[in-house]
Amino acid sequence: MGKTKNNKFKRPSFSPDGLPATPVKQTGDESEDEDSPAEELLDKLQSPSADVREYACASISRVVQQSQTIPGFLQRDAVRKIGPLLLDRSLAVRETAAGALRNLSACGGPEVCEDMVRQDVLTPLSALLRECCTGFDMSSSPTMKGQKRTVEDVANEAVNLLWNLCESSSTAVSVFNKAGLLDVLLHCLQRHPQNMELAISAAHCMHTVTEENEELVHSVNAAVFGVLENILSTTHTSMEYTLLRTLAAGSLWNLKSGLSSAQQSQTLTALATTLSHSLSLDAGELIPELWRAESARLSKETTSATESDHTDARPAGHEAEEMEEDVRDEKMNGRKPNERMSKTKNDISDLLPRDRLELREAKALLSAQQTSLEIIVNMCCSDEPSDDEWEEMSSSDESEVCADGMSDTNSSLFSPLCLSAELHKILLNHSIPQQILKKAEFPSAVALELCSKYPTWKCLLKKMHRVQCRALTCLHNILSSMDTESLGGASGLQAVAQHLSSLVFSSAEALKDEEFLEAVTSALRSLLQIMATKNIPQGMTPHQLMIFCEAATSCELVSVRVNALAILGITGSSLSKEKNTADTLQLIGNALLNIAMKDSNLVVCGEALDALFDVFADGDEAEKAGKNINLLSSLKALQPGFRAKLRKEGRGKYSPCQLCVLDNIRINLKRFLSYLENLQRK
């Protein structure tokens, strides 16, 4: 079916330090809650002892990670009871109260977040954040009044709670705007010389709240851009600074409409410089280097520490952080969270201990590269219509639109957005297309082996694969807007096509990873389409092609099946112009017919038919292959069923855009049958 919208990354539903879960179902059946610790712990919140209040908050923070306990807390008005402790006279209580609410928001899901906002948790949270900002300069010493916690520790928990709420609740974003909390985030951002952890949390939150927030854009002043631009101009070489600069770049991109045209040009160059630097770093080399640096440091401190670190020891909270990131990315891709994550006993507020400097640096590097790629993807999509706008552009009578407004030629409705000439030039000048290609080949075998071998570094494995998936999606989005030479010329494109094809067969696990399959098939589809229009040989053998498509078309994800069929159509169309290709065209034709007749999804059936039209549209080899597989009679046999299914299932099951394309295919099927009948009469 030819053209689709480019993928655009939405921010995930929760912060990297929150554990998203399925929405909690509240129940009125108190009998199921007899053993709940909620009542006892909530009573302890009223204790005159700060230690008891701190213990209660910390315990709640851990207990709510088991999602079945959350209704018990909600029924007992936990939010209203914990909320005032955000302003407790004890810093320790403030921090653990913020942590408890943070975990409740993360583990409870969107409904709980909305409920927390309705219960006005943002009022004490806003007051706490403002108090923290006032206290930053007064708390330069590690403690206040002998307390172990610092104001910045409390602020970090509070910022992460704010992040969770704004991720999940549009009401929270509205309150954020009206309360002027952007100033608070800016203050936290400016603490990067003293507290990088707080600055990165604030940068993540700001990157989230600035996305598609027109109300905020209109209120942004020069001071905001000044803070972000100052961060971009920092020259520190640490990976955490690289991540901070990348997140600041993302916020600047979100706020760009608040800049003048002249400022936008300068800012785009600064953004490209930041993203290019992030992507230019070779994680395959840096991760082993960081591991060796950690080993050397620990061996100097104590030999036993080295042995403990490189066996099965894991820092407290490390496993929880790894799991919460897994769920965050599943949320981003619209999948259900893994149930095991609600059963962890670790405090999900915990981050890597501050003495794990090298591992923190490695994670920051991969996060920076993943974020950079997501920003570039959104640059390629930023001006596309929203889902609602797409529906408005489609008539309420899809058949009329498709018959009159959609022809066999490409429609602008389904054409990928071309980058503006200026942005295109800036990306090229910073070698970003080449860097994306390199990241699509990631991860490094050496880095994978090292991280697989040592448990404490194993958390990086999924992050490395995530970077590759983002690079593949990014490659898919930019291919249509880049010229051939910028991507390595004909030989470079052929090499990339071979690499993308081989990725599918890199391991049995690859065929089970739907996110990876969607990314790699989308990229390969775009690449082969460009090669076909440039008459560049694709270099895939019939055996490779059929194995690849067999694997992809068996995937449960519709988009993967659609991509595989499009690849068959593109390749078959190219082969139909060559000599002695009838046998391969027969293989492709039979595969497409089989799917068109048997797949339960109309979009997939339509893509198979569309591919058949492309493959057998013209040429002696195509005509010969079509006769050998009885193409005319097969299509005549499936035509009534396709039309009936479209009438029966169409409007209730498929979007207006999908219906528009499917109706166009119905019309084209009728025309194609007439074409085949005319061929047969000759």
Side-chain angles (χ1 to χ4, degrees), residues 472-510:
L472 289 166
T473 301
C474 199
L475 179 61
H476 162 65
N477 279 26
I478 70 165
L479 278 169
S480 61
S481 59
M482 295 295 174
D483 59 76
T484 304
E485 292 308 313
S486 69
L487 297 167
S491 60
L493 292 178
Q494 287 173 324
V496 175
Q498 283 287 351
H499 174 70
L500 294 179
S501 302
S502 66
L503 285 177
V504 182
F505 309 107
S506 57
S507 69
E509 292 302 313

Side-chain angles (χ1 to χ4, degrees), residues 357-378:
L357 302 176
E358 296 81 7
L359 184 53
R360 290 173 69 92
E361 283 282 278
K363 294 191 74 174
L365 166 62
L366 295 173
S367 294
Q369 294 188 337
Q370 176 182 332
T371 303
S372 295
L373 291 163
E374 290 170 3
I375 293 169
I376 296 168
V377 166
N378 290 349

Side-chain angles (χ1 to χ4, degrees), residues 566-585:
I567 289 168
L568 278 177
I570 294 165
T571 306
S573 179
S574 296
L575 290 174
S576 67
K577 300 176 179 64
E578 300 176 11
K579 294 181 179 180
N580 302 317
T581 57
D583 290 343
T584 303
L585 294 177

Side-chain angles (χ1 to χ4, degrees), residues 187-488:
H187 206 149
C188 293
L189 269 175
Q190 291 174 294
R191 299 297 293 175
H192 62 85
Q194 296 84 18
N195 192 319
M196 179 58 72
E197 184 179 341
L198 172 62
I200 287 177
S201 295
H204 273 297
C205 187
M206 189 171 182
H207 190 202
T208 294
V209 296
T210 55
E211 186 170 21
E212 298 181 356
N213 188 344
E214 288 302 315
E215 181 182 353
L216 186 65
V217 170
H218 295 318
S219 67
V220 168
N221 55 34
V224 176
F225 290 112
V227 171
L228 294 173
E229 288 165 357
N230 285 339
I231 289 175
L232 256 61
S233 66
T234 59
T235 57
H236 299 79
T237 58
S238 75
M239 298 302 106
E240 289 193 324
Y241 260 104
T242 299
L243 174 58
L244 183 67
R245 286 191 291 266
T246 302
L247 291 166
S251 294
L252 273 172
W253 175 258
N254 292 340
L255 297 170
K256 66 185 181 302
S257 61
L259 295 167
S260 67
S261 298
Q263 289 173 315
Q264 282 192 19
S265 178
Q266 185 177 0
T267 300
L268 283 177
T269 300
L271 293 185
T273 300
T274 298
L275 301 179
S276 177
H277 171 72
S278 172
L279 295 176
S280 70
L281 298 170
D282 188 345
E285 290 184 3
L286 288 171
I287 287 174
E289 286 180 10
L290 287 166
W291 181 86
R292 287 192 292 269
E294 181 187 71
S295 297
R297 177 176 59 81
L298 292 176
S299 65
K300 289 180 181 179
E301 294 173 0
T302 168
T303 302
S304 62
T306 303
E307 293 172 351
S308 172
D309 177 68
H310 288 166
T311 54
D312 290 331
R314 295 175 72 110
H318 175 82
E319 181 181 353
E321 183 189 9
E322 177 185 343
M323 290 192 292
E324 72 205 16
E325 288 182 351
D326 292 343
V327 181
R328 174 172 61 99
D329 279 272
E330 286 170 354
K331 281 279 188 178
M332 177 178 285
N333 292 291
R335 301 189 187 112
K336 293 181 180 179
N338 191 322
E339 291 296 325
R340 73 180 176 88
M341 298 179 188
S342 63
K343 300 177 182 178
T344 176
K345 297 180 181 179
N346 295 310
D347 185 345
I348 62 174
S349 299
D350 291 342
L351 295 172
L352 287 174
R354 292 189 173 100
D355 62 351
R356 300 305 301 267
L357 302 176
E358 296 81 7
L359 184 53
R360 290 173 69 92
E361 283 282 278
K363 294 191 74 174
L365 166 62
L366 295 173
S367 294
Q369 294 188 337
Q370 176 182 332
T371 303
S372 295
L373 291 163
E374 290 170 3
I375 293 169
I376 296 168
V377 166
N378 290 349
M379 283 179 170
C380 298
C381 305
S382 61
D383 295 326
E384 283 190 336
S386 67
D387 289 339
D388 291 338
E389 290 169 333
W390 276 54
E391 291 197 14
E392 290 172 8
M393 286 157 46
S394 297
S395 167
S396 59
D397 185 344
E398 289 80 14
S399 295
E400 290 182 9
V401 171
C402 296
D404 299 330
M406 297 288 294
S407 66
D408 292 335
T409 58
N410 294 341
S411 164
S412 59
L413 179 63
F414 291 97
S415 297
L417 172 76
C418 289
L419 297 174
S420 68
E422 182 179 14
L423 183 53
H424 178 275
K425 182 179 178 181
I426 290 172
L427 293 180
L428 285 178
N429 288 343
H430 288 80
S431 302
I432 285 179
Q434 293 88 338
Q435 291 168 350
I436 293 170
L437 286 172
K438 289 180 181 178
K439 290 294 174 282
E441 298 177 3
F442 195 73
S444 150
V446 174
L448 284 175
E449 182 180 1
L450 184 149
C451 294
S452 299
K453 186 175 181 181
Y454 298 106
T456 50
W457 288 67
K458 200 169 186 177
C459 60
L460 300 183
L461 289 173
K462 288 185 178 179
K463 293 185 76 67
M464 286 189 278
H465 286 293
R466 215 169 281 145
V467 169
Q468 183 190 28
C469 284
R470 298 298 185 267
L472 289 166
T473 301
C474 199
L475 179 61
H476 162 65
N477 279 26
I478 70 165
L479 278 169
S480 61
S481 59
M482 295 295 174
D483 59 76
T484 304
E485 292 308 313
S486 69
L487 297 167

Side-chain angles (χ1 to χ4, degrees), residues 531-550:
M531 293 173 70
T533 59
K534 304 283 186 182
N535 294 318
I536 299 172
Q538 296 173 1
M540 290 179 69
T541 67
H543 180 68
Q544 284 179 314
L545 181 67
M546 298 313 298
I547 293 178
F548 165 76
C549 289
E550 182 180 350

